[in-house]
Amino acid sequence: GLTGPAGPTGEQGNAGSNGATGAQGPAGPGALPLYNIRTTTATINSSAFTDVVSITLEANKEYYLESAVIGQRSGATSGLGNVQMKYTGNATMVYGLEVQSNWGNLTSVSNTTFFNYEALSGTSTWASTAANRYTVRGFFKTTSAGTLSIQVARGTGNTTIDLLVREGTFLMARPVN
């Protein structure tokens, strides 16, 4: 028999309605974001990087990223901290990412870390009150699926002061294609 066209595109990432054949239309623009929000405090007591928030990204997608690390020191004296990103897949055209007021453009990422705070800006002193320690926003284009993480460690020279990554720390990726 004859088949008709697929249904119309849905709104805000919802699937479209059924078409003449019963085929469902494609998802609309503005698909819902992927996100991870910390609901507990993580203690960072080492210079080894620890994932504090992570999300899984699909292959061959472009995402708008946004993230904030809310942190403070645990001890009575200043504690140096370091933050970076890691992607376990492959990505190209990593562009327009703003990390703590530093703009970065990378041609590719392949199962590696990138945008290390100390490498971009030097060490970060974490105070005794919770504040935003690391912000990311911009675009990220994957070529293979993988896990995108924000990682935290004690900063260079900090061998004694623990850091606290507070609830509310988040990582969000909104598909744009």
Side-chain angles (χ1 to χ4, degrees), residues 35 56 78 83 86 98 112 145:
Y35 63 93
T56 301
S78 294
V83 185
K86 181 177 182 177
E98 179 187 14
T112 190

Side-chain angles (χ1 to χ4, degrees), residues 99-132:
V99 180
Q100 293 301 103
S101 301
N102 292 289
W103 285 92
N105 293 303
L106 299 174
T107 55
S108 67
V109 173
S110 181
N111 193 24
T112 190
T113 59
F114 55 102
F115 293 134
N116 178 290
Y117 186 85
E118 283 187 2
L120 290 171
S121 302
T123 57
S124 171
T125 301
W126 290 34
S128 60
T129 56
N132 192 355

